[in-house]
Amino acid sequence: KLTLAGIIKSTPVKEALLRVDRANYVENPANAYSDAPQSIGYAQTISAPHMHSHALEEILPTLTKFSREFQQSEIMLGESREPASEEEKELKILDVGCGSGYLTAALGRLVDRGTQGPIHPLSKGRVFGIDVIPELVTLSRHNIMKADSDLFTSGTVSVARGDGWNGLPSEGPFHAIHVGAAAETFPPSLMMQLYPHGGVMVIPVGANNSIQNLYRVERLRDSDHYNRDDFRIQNLLGVRYVPLVHSKMP
Ligand code: SAH
């Protein structure tokens, strides 16, 4: 269905995107399989498939690394010691600006706790989608219910209203964070919600209607306070996203 010239490099990302039908997430299903952004209402758009692919490809190595750590700790602990709690061995992912719900669902497929299971070689996990526009929280829930409702019943995916500038401190830290709207500056509170030892965020940064770039931000070490030196920041490519707005949400 999707011919994405060389952007999808890995089997897990391809598999995750194949498991979520984009037709359930766009306003006009006739355009579901074109590689272009589509309107989802409220002046917002579902990103083009190649942008979702880039984001997932950037996040995948980190999820793979943490999954391997979980799996190895299980082997090493064997039966001799108290097993680590189920929660501790789960990947946690935050999707800021879940909009249509499409990428939230694709991330959910990667770490599916339900009967389909996570996509090899990943461990299972939980994906938290947040959006600042209440109607879009409802829309993502509605879209995911169409053919991916098992992601809700298995507890893999949840969506709620939230402001990306604040993130979701109650559920952090996250092994990976995706931001689907452009921040004019790097958001420190959100960066501090990355898992301290190697958590990765993919985020567009730049002023509205100006130059924006997609960045990969990796948290290198633990610290109580934000310090830019504790993060490795890489510029991936030039992009064009709607702005990450400042809301008056508490
Ligand atoms: N990943 C989504 C992108 C939707 S467009 C998709 O592919 O469908 C960007 C989204 O970011 C919109 O839904 C918008 O409401 C949301 N958004 C903008 N500012 C936000 C903020 N401060 N916090 C959370 N979401 C925000």
Side-chain angles (χ1 to χ4, degrees):
K1 283 185 227 166
L2 293 172
T3 47
L4 299 173
I7 292 162
I8 302 183
K9 296 182 194 81
S10 68
T11 319
V13 168
K14 185 174 166 195
E15 183 60 35
L17 292 175
L18 284 174
R19 287 188 195 181
V20 182
D21 191 345
R22 196 165 179 262
N24 294 325
Y25 294 85
V26 296
E27 273 187 342
N28 180 0
N31 299 331
Y33 309 120
S34 67
D35 191 13
Q38 305 288 331
S39 165
I40 55 172
Y42 306 92
Q44 306 299 322
T45 52
I46 174 173
S47 299
H50 74 268
M51 283 314 306
H52 282 153
S53 310
H54 272 301
L56 291 172
E57 290 290 359
E58 284 302 323
I59 288 171
L60 182 73
T62 298
L63 297 180
T64 305
K65 184 193 81 170
F66 286 119
S67 301
R68 199 172 293 135
E69 284 176 18
F70 293 155
Q71 290 152 17
Q72 276 169 357
S73 78
E74 236 168 74
I75 294 166
M76 275 158 48
L77 285 172
E79 280 154 31
S80 59
R81 273 213 272 158
E82 255 327 80
S85 76
E86 282 299 305
E87 282 246 310
E88 280 170 34
K89 288 180 294 179
E90 284 201 330
L91 295 165
K92 278 189 158 188
I93 305 172
L94 178 65
D95 185 22
V96 173
C98 54
S100 66
Y102 176 77
L103 193 73
T104 317
L107 288 164
R109 288 300 170 208
L110 280 176
V111 300
D112 199 339
R113 305 162 109 212
T115 46
Q116 292 196 51
I119 294 173
H120 181 80
L122 299 182
S123 295
K124 58 189 161 77
R126 303 187 60 188
V127 182
F128 304 87
I130 59 169
D131 205 287
V132 77
I133 302 181
E135 288 83 357
L136 290 178
V137 176
T138 307
L139 179 73
S140 16
R141 211 172 270 142
H142 171 83
N143 287 342
I144 295 170
M145 283 303 287
K146 290 179 196 165
D148 298 298
S149 61
D150 57 301
L151 290 173
F152 285 137
T153 48
S154 64
T156 307
V157 166
S158 57
V159 291
R161 181 142 184 250
D163 181 349
W165 290 100
N166 303 330
L168 195 60
S170 57
E171 297 294 345
F174 301 97
H175 298 96
I177 300 179
H178 170 264
V179 184
E184 66 267 58
T185 54
F186 285 92
S189 324
L190 198 55
M191 289 161 77
M192 290 301 278
Q193 283 167 41
L194 282 171
Y195 183 77
H197 305 285
V200 161
M201 168 155 69
V202 176
I203 179 170
V205 179
N208 191 20
N209 291 321
S210 170
I211 294 165
Q212 298 175 351
N213 291 296
L214 191 68
Y215 292 88
R216 175 188 187 275
V217 176
E218 178 177 357
R219 189 166 176 194
L220 303 173
R221 59 188 79 88
D222 208 352
S223 60
D224 291 339
H225 300 286
Y226 173 77
N227 178 353
R228 182 114 176 194
D229 294 344
D230 294 332
F231 298 85
R232 177 189 297 140
I233 299 181
Q234 288 169 268
N235 184 345
L236 302 173
L237 69 156
V239 291
R240 195 174 182 85
Y241 277 77
V242 296
L244 188 70
V245 300
H246 290 277
S247 78
K248 290 174 195 73
M249 257 189 86

mmCIF file of all heavy atoms in Angstrom, residues 208-230:
data_model
loop_
_atom_site.group_PDB
_atom_site.id
_atom_site.type_symbol
_atom_site.label_atom_id
_atom_site.label_comp_id
_atom_site.label_asym_id
_atom_site.label_seq_id
_atom_site.Cartn_x
_atom_site.Cartn_y
_atom_site.Cartn_z
ATOM 1 N N ASN A 208 7.251 29.161 14.058
ATOM 2 C CA ASN A 208 6.181 28.927 13.095
ATOM 3 C C ASN A 208 6.493 29.668 11.798
ATOM 4 O O ASN A 208 6.941 30.804 11.831
ATOM 5 C CB ASN A 208 4.867 29.447 13.714
ATOM 6 C CG ASN A 208 3.665 29.020 12.912
ATOM 7 O OD1 ASN A 208 3.720 28.069 12.140
ATOM 8 N ND2 ASN A 208 2.570 29.729 13.110
ATOM 9 N N ASN A 209 6.262 29.031 10.665
ATOM 10 C CA ASN A 209 6.502 29.637 9.349
ATOM 11 C C ASN A 209 7.953 30.048 9.130
ATOM 12 O O ASN A 209 8.250 30.915 8.319
ATOM 13 C CB ASN A 209 5.614 30.876 9.141
ATOM 14 C CG ASN A 209 4.171 30.465 8.999
ATOM 15 O OD1 ASN A 209 3.880 29.457 8.371
ATOM 16 N ND2 ASN A 209 3.278 31.228 9.608
ATOM 17 N N SER A 210 8.847 29.453 9.883
ATOM 18 C CA SER A 210 10.263 29.741 9.682
ATOM 19 C C SER A 210 10.996 28.410 9.560
ATOM 20 O O SER A 210 10.375 27.373 9.396
ATOM 21 C CB SER A 210 10.766 30.581 10.851
ATOM 22 O OG SER A 210 12.156 30.698 10.809
ATOM 23 N N ILE A 211 12.318 28.473 9.680
ATOM 24 C CA ILE A 211 13.091 27.240 9.553
ATOM 25 C C ILE A 211 12.827 26.350 10.761
ATOM 26 O O ILE A 211 12.914 26.789 11.905
ATOM 27 C CB ILE A 211 14.596 27.554 9.441
ATOM 28 C CG1 ILE A 211 14.868 28.295 8.135
ATOM 29 C CG2 ILE A 211 15.425 26.280 9.530
ATOM 30 C CD1 ILE A 211 16.237 28.952 8.086
ATOM 31 N N GLN A 212 12.454 25.120 10.484
ATOM 32 C CA GLN A 212 12.275 24.140 11.560
ATOM 33 C C GLN A 212 13.114 22.919 11.223
ATOM 34 O O GLN A 212 13.245 22.557 10.062
ATOM 35 C CB GLN A 212 10.818 23.694 11.652
ATOM 36 C CG GLN A 212 9.823 24.786 11.989
ATOM 37 C CD GLN A 212 8.389 24.266 11.949
ATOM 38 O OE1 GLN A 212 8.117 23.147 11.520
ATOM 39 N NE2 GLN A 212 7.465 25.094 12.398
ATOM 40 N N ASN A 213 13.657 22.316 12.262
ATOM 41 C CA ASN A 213 14.395 21.075 12.049
ATOM 42 C C ASN A 213 13.877 19.999 12.992
ATOM 43 O O ASN A 213 13.407 20.296 14.090
ATOM 44 C CB ASN A 213 15.888 21.291 12.297
ATOM 45 C CG ASN A 213 16.511 22.158 11.226
ATOM 46 O OD1 ASN A 213 16.559 21.775 10.052
ATOM 47 N ND2 ASN A 213 16.944 23.330 11.610
ATOM 48 N N LEU A 214 13.991 18.761 12.517
ATOM 49 C CA LEU A 214 13.657 17.632 13.372
ATOM 50 C C LEU A 214 14.925 17.227 14.118
ATOM 51 O O LEU A 214 15.977 17.065 13.505
ATOM 52 C CB LEU A 214 13.143 16.473 12.513
ATOM 53 C CG LEU A 214 12.513 15.305 13.270
ATOM 54 C CD1 LEU A 214 11.194 15.745 13.919
ATOM 55 C CD2 LEU A 214 12.240 14.124 12.337
ATOM 56 N N TYR A 215 14.828 17.112 15.443
ATOM 57 C CA TYR A 215 15.983 16.787 16.270
ATOM 58 C C TYR A 215 15.782 15.455 16.978
ATOM 59 O O TYR A 215 14.655 15.062 17.304
ATOM 60 C CB TYR A 215 16.218 17.859 17.337
ATOM 61 C CG TYR A 215 16.673 19.185 16.774
ATOM 62 C CD1 TYR A 215 15.745 20.142 16.367
ATOM 63 C CD2 TYR A 215 18.028 19.481 16.640
ATOM 64 C CE1 TYR A 215 16.149 21.364 15.847
ATOM 65 C CE2 TYR A 215 18.448 20.691 16.127
ATOM 66 C CZ TYR A 215 17.514 21.632 15.728
ATOM 67 O OH TYR A 215 17.930 22.830 15.210
ATOM 68 N N ARG A 216 16.905 14.817 17.228
ATOM 69 C CA ARG A 216 16.944 13.651 18.099
ATOM 70 C C ARG A 216 17.657 14.101 19.368
ATOM 71 O O ARG A 216 18.771 14.618 19.305
ATOM 72 C CB ARG A 216 17.724 12.518 17.441
ATOM 73 C CG ARG A 216 17.918 11.289 18.319
ATOM 74 C CD ARG A 216 18.884 10.327 17.627
ATOM 75 N NE ARG A 216 18.984 9.054 18.337
ATOM 76 C CZ ARG A 216 19.792 8.820 19.362
ATOM 77 N NH1 ARG A 216 20.568 9.791 19.818
ATOM 78 N NH2 ARG A 216 19.827 7.633 19.940
ATOM 79 N N VAL A 217 16.980 13.960 20.497
ATOM 80 C CA VAL A 217 17.526 14.393 21.785
ATOM 81 C C VAL A 217 17.693 13.170 22.668
ATOM 82 O O VAL A 217 16.721 12.454 22.925
ATOM 83 C CB VAL A 217 16.570 15.398 22.466
ATOM 84 C CG1 VAL A 217 17.079 15.783 23.848
ATOM 85 C CG2 VAL A 217 16.369 16.630 21.598
ATOM 86 N N GLU A 218 18.907 12.926 23.119
ATOM 87 C CA GLU A 218 19.146 11.765 23.983
ATOM 88 C C GLU A 218 19.596 12.240 25.355
ATOM 89 O O GLU A 218 20.503 13.068 25.466
ATOM 90 C CB GLU A 218 20.232 10.873 23.360
ATOM 91 C CG GLU A 218 20.574 9.674 24.224
ATOM 92 C CD GLU A 218 21.598 8.753 23.566
ATOM 93 O OE1 GLU A 218 21.991 9.009 22.420
ATOM 94 O OE2 GLU A 218 22.005 7.789 24.239
ATOM 95 N N ARG A 219 18.956 11.734 26.385
ATOM 96 C CA ARG A 219 19.380 12.094 27.745
ATOM 97 C C ARG A 219 20.513 11.167 28.160
ATOM 98 O O ARG A 219 20.369 9.944 28.130
ATOM 99 C CB ARG A 219 18.208 11.988 28.723
ATOM 100 C CG ARG A 219 18.552 12.556 30.085
ATOM 101 C CD ARG A 219 17.326 12.757 30.943
ATOM 102 N NE ARG A 219 17.689 13.219 32.280
ATOM 103 C CZ ARG A 219 16.863 13.222 33.302
ATOM 104 N NH1 ARG A 219 15.615 12.806 33.139
ATOM 105 N NH2 ARG A 219 17.248 13.650 34.476
ATOM 106 N N LEU A 220 21.637 11.757 28.548
ATOM 107 C CA LEU A 220 22.843 10.967 28.783
ATOM 108 C C LEU A 220 23.020 10.572 30.234
ATOM 109 O O LEU A 220 23.655 9.574 30.534
ATOM 110 C CB LEU A 220 24.081 11.759 28.335
ATOM 111 C CG LEU A 220 24.082 12.224 26.876
ATOM 112 C CD1 LEU A 220 25.263 13.140 26.618
ATOM 113 C CD2 LEU A 220 24.111 11.028 25.942
ATOM 114 N N ARG A 221 22.533 11.390 31.143
ATOM 115 C CA ARG A 221 22.780 11.108 32.563
ATOM 116 C C ARG A 221 21.694 11.729 33.433
ATOM 117 O O ARG A 221 20.957 12.606 32.999
ATOM 118 C CB ARG A 221 24.152 11.626 32.976
ATOM 119 C CG ARG A 221 24.376 13.111 32.789
ATOM 120 C CD ARG A 221 25.831 13.485 33.037
ATOM 121 N NE ARG A 221 26.680 13.169 31.888
ATOM 122 C CZ ARG A 221 26.904 13.995 30.867
ATOM 123 N NH1 ARG A 221 26.354 15.184 30.842
ATOM 124 N NH2 ARG A 221 27.664 13.646 29.855
ATOM 125 N N ASP A 222 21.661 11.229 34.662
ATOM 126 C CA ASP A 222 20.660 11.682 35.621
ATOM 127 C C ASP A 222 21.079 13.017 36.228
ATOM 128 O O ASP A 222 22.266 13.299 36.344
ATOM 129 C CB ASP A 222 20.521 10.639 36.731
ATOM 130 C CG ASP A 222 19.139 10.662 37.337
ATOM 131 O OD1 ASP A 222 18.352 11.566 37.012
ATOM 132 O OD2 ASP A 222 18.843 9.770 38.141
ATOM 133 N N SER A 223 20.097 13.827 36.582
ATOM 134 C CA SER A 223 20.365 15.090 37.266
ATOM 135 C C SER A 223 19.036 15.612 37.781
ATOM 136 O O SER A 223 17.991 15.302 37.230
ATOM 137 C CB SER A 223 20.967 16.104 36.306
ATOM 138 O OG SER A 223 20.051 16.332 35.247
ATOM 139 N N ASP A 224 19.091 16.380 38.849
ATOM 140 C CA ASP A 224 17.860 16.917 39.419
ATOM 141 C C ASP A 224 17.352 18.106 38.631
ATOM 142 O O ASP A 224 16.154 18.377 38.588
ATOM 143 C CB ASP A 224 18.085 17.351 40.873
ATOM 144 C CG ASP A 224 18.315 16.152 41.776
ATOM 145 O OD1 ASP A 224 17.901 15.042 41.379
ATOM 146 O OD2 ASP A 224 18.908 16.330 42.866
ATOM 147 N N HIS A 225 18.289 18.832 38.023
ATOM 148 C CA HIS A 225 17.894 20.050 37.311
ATOM 149 C C HIS A 225 18.345 19.999 35.870
ATOM 150 O O HIS A 225 19.371 19.394 35.549
ATOM 151 C CB HIS A 225 18.483 21.281 38.009
ATOM 152 C CG HIS A 225 18.019 21.393 39.422
ATOM 153 N ND1 HIS A 225 16.749 21.797 39.754
ATOM 154 C CD2 HIS A 225 18.652 21.096 40.591
ATOM 155 C CE1 HIS A 225 16.624 21.764 41.067
ATOM 156 N NE2 HIS A 225 17.750 21.337 41.600
ATOM 157 N N TYR A 226 17.591 20.692 35.024
ATOM 158 C CA TYR A 226 17.888 20.718 33.599
ATOM 159 C C TYR A 226 19.251 21.354 33.328
ATOM 160 O O TYR A 226 19.560 22.432 33.845
ATOM 161 C CB TYR A 226 16.806 21.498 32.855
ATOM 162 C CG TYR A 226 17.138 21.711 31.402
ATOM 163 C CD1 TYR A 226 16.980 20.670 30.497
ATOM 164 C CD2 TYR A 226 17.619 22.932 30.939
ATOM 165 C CE1 TYR A 226 17.282 20.845 29.154
ATOM 166 C CE2 TYR A 226 17.932 23.118 29.597
ATOM 167 C CZ TYR A 226 17.761 22.073 28.717
ATOM 168 O OH TYR A 226 18.075 22.251 27.402
ATOM 169 N N ASN A 227 20.041 20.641 32.543
ATOM 170 C CA ASN A 227 21.357 21.130 32.154
ATOM 171 C C ASN A 227 21.582 20.640 30.724
ATOM 172 O O ASN A 227 21.565 19.438 30.465
ATOM 173 C CB ASN A 227 22.402 20.523 33.110
ATOM 174 C CG ASN A 227 23.809 20.951 32.744
ATOM 175 O OD1 ASN A 227 24.045 21.583 31.710
ATOM 176 N ND2 ASN A 227 24.756 20.591 33.592
ATOM 177 N N ARG A 228 21.758 21.554 29.807
ATOM 178 C CA ARG A 228 21.840 21.192 28.391
ATOM 179 C C ARG A 228 22.947 20.173 28.114
ATOM 180 O O ARG A 228 22.828 19.349 27.204
ATOM 181 C CB ARG A 228 22.035 22.470 27.557
ATOM 182 C CG ARG A 228 22.100 22.247 26.070
ATOM 183 C CD ARG A 228 20.921 22.877 25.350
ATOM 184 N NE ARG A 228 21.093 22.707 23.905
ATOM 185 C CZ ARG A 228 20.400 23.353 22.993
ATOM 186 N NH1 ARG A 228 19.476 24.216 23.358
ATOM 187 N NH2 ARG A 228 20.595 23.134 21.720
ATOM 188 N N ASP A 229 24.019 20.217 28.916
ATOM 189 C CA ASP A 229 25.139 19.291 28.718
ATOM 190 C C ASP A 229 24.770 17.835 28.999
ATOM 191 O O ASP A 229 25.516 16.928 28.644
ATOM 192 C CB ASP A 229 26.318 19.661 29.635
ATOM 193 C CG ASP A 229 26.920 20.993 29.259
ATOM 194 O OD1 ASP A 229 26.634 21.473 28.138
ATOM 195 O OD2 ASP A 229 27.661 21.558 30.079
ATOM 196 N N ASP A 230 23.648 17.626 29.668
ATOM 197 C CA ASP A 230 23.236 16.259 29.973
ATOM 198 C C ASP A 230 22.489 15.615 28.809
ATOM 199 O O ASP A 230 22.003 14.484 28.919
ATOM 200 C CB ASP A 230 22.350 16.236 31.228
ATOM 201 C CG ASP A 230 23.137 16.642 32.471
ATOM 202 O OD1 ASP A 230 24.366 16.413 32.488
ATOM 203 O OD2 ASP A 230 22.528 17.198 33.403
#
